[in-house]
Amino acid sequence: MGEIKWDKKQIDVIEAAPASRLLVNAGPGTGKTAVACARVAYLIDQKGIEPNRIWLISFTRTAVREITDRIATYLNEPGNAYSVRIATLDSHAWAIHSGFDEKASISGSYDQNIERVLELIEKNDPLLDYLESLKHLIVDEAQDIVGIRSELIIAIMQKISKNCGITVFADEAQAIYCFAEDENYRENQNQSILPDKIREKFASGFVSCQLTSVYRTNSKNLLSVFTDLRQKILSTSETGINKLTDVKNRLKELSHEKNIPNIENQQFADKKSAFVLYRRRSEVLLASSFMKNRPHRIRMSGLPICIEPWIGAALSEHIDSILDEQTFFDLWAKKVEDKNLTSSSANEAWKNLVRYAGQTRKIVDMKLLRQRLGRRQPPAEFCSSEIGNAGPIIGTIHASKGREADIVHLMLPNNKIGNDTDTDEETRVIFVGATRGKLKLKVGCGYGQYTSRIESSGRVYSLNKKNNQTNAQVEIGRDGDINANSIAGKSVFRSGGMIRIYQKRLIDLANTIELLEAESDKHSNFSYILKINNKNIIGGLSNTVNRDLFNIGNIIQQKNNGKKRRPPDLIKNIYLRGVRSIILPPDSPECNNLYEPWASSGILLAPVILGYTTIYFPYCKWR
């Protein structure tokens, strides 16, 4: 366990008997993740449990990578960390589904996948045998596991051996996933969280423990937030709007700087260790648009998964069924080296390829690699946790969960509280944001704009009226706004040679912030083509954007009782924020629509874009 000094309560959790079942109440900054990792190392090194018989369910994909690395530092044999089954619950569910159901398909929603796993748990004997083989189950951030996901964990707990230990970490002061970070949209209403279900289903089967000492900060003001304010939030003596107002006022009193300005006027002393946190996605979009080309990173839901661009740069034209070590290093030297496409070395990149798709230490199976990286949740080792490469992280409070920074700029919600608002949960959301800081907390005010969302895609928009003309501010850059077809599709572009030029252009732009515009092209089935300086093409937008813009146009028409509106010919003020790789599974039907060699390789580069831009919807000339 190294030279780490653990307090007694931490040691009680770390060194509890392997078959113990613990429900650990751990507030922010109390070393919860470190204790969870140390417990895994203790079970392996001191109690002889095989690493592959330990499951650790993490809340986020980013945390999976960090947890694996931290466990490795605690183990006598660091390589054993990679044998521990560490994944998000959705990834665990897919592994079960694909491993025990011959008809498993990558299509369908996460919830549908979990529903199928719940069915398998009840009647699949090989799966039951597999669950019986588990020796310890660790669940992180249990307060945020609700609905069908909490049902799945309870079902697993009921089917594993009685001798299988369970360690569950939770902080009910941070329970914020009972509803979404999106605008005024509420989900999972009135669903009980996992700790409540554990107490209900296993009344006397779990021992309650607490971690109480705060290690994240030495700041007197922040310690007051972490401890005194947390007790207020957990207290049931005061609820509703009064509690929310009191907590906001107390945070303003404890702020290290009073009345901080809007983001475009803020200065960031240490850009790499600062969070600027907002309650809603639309506020992050606005903040990013106000920052323009100032370096910053974005972290929130709804964005595409950013697989690192070195994969697309190196392998997009590699169509062989295998990739040998020498070929990889040649491709790396030619297409990746000195291009600023990754912080990884060639050796590190090759080791990750072998780990997930290696036939041997010197041969990678390209079909298997595409299967692994083409999943909805590819391995975290290949992904960036946010958009952008430098500057402060601007994000939602939800997306900052489990993360920390030296300085937190907490931009408190500025909108009115509606009658249907769960003010207790809003209070917990604010608390989560306030406890991300290690050195300083600066409290400011967010944006009060009212927004809506398109149900099918989740796209955020807001309607505005100016000079008796209605326009809409619309989110551009959601997951799905750019796909393989909009980058290399035969229906969009005239030749594969053109696409090769665009792909090379993306490599050159990988670390720049550029202002883009999207122009509707009648020769490309009216797809929007993305251009820099009104001429340099880097790809296009998918039909999802066109569909959503038609929907918004219809809404404007209905509100104004006027003529039919259509999407505009030109969309301005979109920013290129980075470059990512798109990986298509071997059986993806999308490949059939692409030019070669991308149809065969299934790998290509794509721009990462973001905009919250004002769009005017002209009248249709037809009826």
Side-chain angles (χ1 to χ4, degrees), residues 370-582:
R370 287 173 60 188
Q371 286 175 342
R372 296 281 170 82
L373 270 62
R375 293 174 177 173
R376 289 172 296 182
Q377 290 192 332
E381 289 88 340
F382 296 97
C383 302
S384 301
S385 56
E386 60 266 329
I387 285 178
N389 301 310
I393 292 177
I394 306 172
T396 59
I397 295 172
H398 279 75
S400 75
K401 191 72 180 292
R403 315 288 295 181
E404 58 186 46
D406 287 345
I407 301 171
V408 169
H409 300 236
L410 180 62
M411 312 304 285
L412 293 176
N414 190 32
N415 52 329
K416 295 180 180 179
I417 300 298
N419 294 330
D420 60 344
T421 300
D422 186 333
T423 51
D424 288 337
E425 191 151 9
E426 284 288 342
T427 304
R428 294 194 296 270
V429 171
I430 291 169
F431 173 71
V432 168
T435 54
R436 300 307 94 203
K438 295 189 290 184
L439 300 179
K440 290 183 179 180
L441 172 66
K442 299 182 178 183
V443 178
C445 189
Y447 304 103
Q449 183 184 43
Y450 180 83
T451 56
S452 303
R453 70 196 294 273
I454 295 175
E455 200 69 27
S456 59
S457 67
R459 190 180 312 278
V460 174
Y461 70 93
S462 59
L463 300 182
N464 308 296
K465 200 161 189 175
K466 186 177 182 181
N467 298 327
N468 293 321
Q469 186 177 11
T470 301
N471 60 63
Q473 199 162 10
V474 182
E475 173 187 10
I476 303 292
R478 283 192 66 87
D479 185 21
D481 283 3
I482 293 176
N483 58 20
N485 184 67
S486 69
I487 296 298
K490 295 176 182 178
S491 63
V492 180
F493 298 104
R494 299 177 187 177
S495 73
M498 296 169 61
I499 296 165
R500 188 169 278 108
I501 294 172
Y502 307 155
Q503 291 281 289
K504 172 64 168 61
R505 190 170 286 155
L506 285 173
I507 293 175
D508 297 336
L509 294 169
N511 286 288
T512 64
I513 299 175
E514 299 285 347
L515 186 62
L516 309 176
E517 57 185 33
E519 185 175 11
S520 180
D521 185 352
K522 65 181 180 180
H523 300 294
S524 303
N525 296 322
F526 293 95
S527 296
Y528 283 103
I529 304 301
L530 290 165
K531 299 179 181 180
I532 298 174
N533 299 325
N534 197 30
K535 59 181 181 179
N536 294 326
I537 296 173
I538 59 171
L541 299 179
S542 71
N543 288 333
T544 301
V545 177
N546 297 59
R547 182 196 65 202
D548 285 355
L549 292 180
F550 269 111
N551 287 339
I552 295 172
N554 290 338
I555 292 169
I556 292 175
Q557 175 195 352
Q558 292 167 11
K559 284 186 175 295
N560 293 310
N561 195 26
K563 297 179 182 178
K564 189 173 180 64
R565 304 294 186 106
R566 65 171 178 84
D569 295 326
L570 191 67
I571 303 174
K572 294 186 176 183
N573 296 320
I574 304 170
Y575 281 92
L576 175 72
R577 296 291 183 193
V579 177
R580 65 186 176 101
S581 298
I582 291 178

Side-chain angles (χ1 to χ4, degrees), residues 334-352:
K334 181 180 179 181
K335 299 188 174 185
V336 179
E337 198 77 53
D338 300 325
K339 299 290 195 304
N340 293 320
L341 298 176
T342 180
S343 59
S344 298
S345 67
N347 286 325
E348 291 170 331
W350 178 251
K351 286 180 182 178
N352 281 330

Side-chain angles (χ1 to χ4, degrees), residues 13 139 303 361 490 501 540 555:
V13 175
V139 182
L303 300 177
R361 292 184 179 180
K490 295 176 182 178
I501 294 172
I555 292 169

Side-chain angles (χ1 to χ4, degrees), residues 57-74:
I57 296 174
S58 172
F59 191 73
T60 66
R61 295 171 58 259
T62 302
V64 168
R65 178 169 53 185
E66 294 174 351
I67 286 171
T68 302
D69 292 342
R70 186 177 290 194
I71 290 173
T73 66
Y74 293 156

Side-chain angles (χ1 to χ4, degrees), residues 101 107 155 223 227 271 396 408 589:
D101 183 357
S107 62
L223 283 171
T227 55
K271 294 180 180 180
T396 59
V408 169

